Amino acid sequence: MSDDMMKVRLLFVDEGDYHHETVEIPAASLEAYERLIDCLREDPEVLRRIHVDFDRLVSACVKGD
């Protein structure tokens, strides 16, 4: 597996307040899925690195350079 990492911006809502977090996930994990949300929910390597509160998640997108 490659050591390349991709930055992903996550937008959350908590009682009407919005905030974002930027996380890094392995590029190989992202490439293995058609949809980013599936990668975040299912990929074992991603799940080992981060925890995402999907009940509060509004959007997720890959950040460009």
Side-chain angles (χ1 to χ4, degrees):
M1 183 185 293
S2 174
D3 290 336
D4 292 339
M5 301 296 282
M6 298 291 294
K7 290 184 179 182
V8 176
R9 184 171 189 244
L10 306 173
L11 179 64
F12 297 95
V13 64
D14 187 22
E15 297 182 10
D17 292 327
Y18 290 87
H19 69 277
H20 73 273
E21 299 288 332
T22 300
V23 297
E24 289 189 348
I25 64 172
S29 294
L30 185 59
E31 293 167 2
Y33 291 86
E34 240 180 80
R35 300 182 326 157
L36 174 57
I37 192 72
D38 293 335
C39 178
L40 295 173
R41 286 184 173 164
E42 300 171 7
D43 190 87
E45 186 64 28
V46 172
L47 294 172
R48 272 194 289 274
R49 293 173 180 267
I50 64 171
H51 168 76
V52 177
D53 184 348
F54 290 102
D55 289 335
R56 297 186 309 130
L57 184 65
V58 175
S59 72
C61 63
V62 175
K63 287 186 70 170
D65 288 336

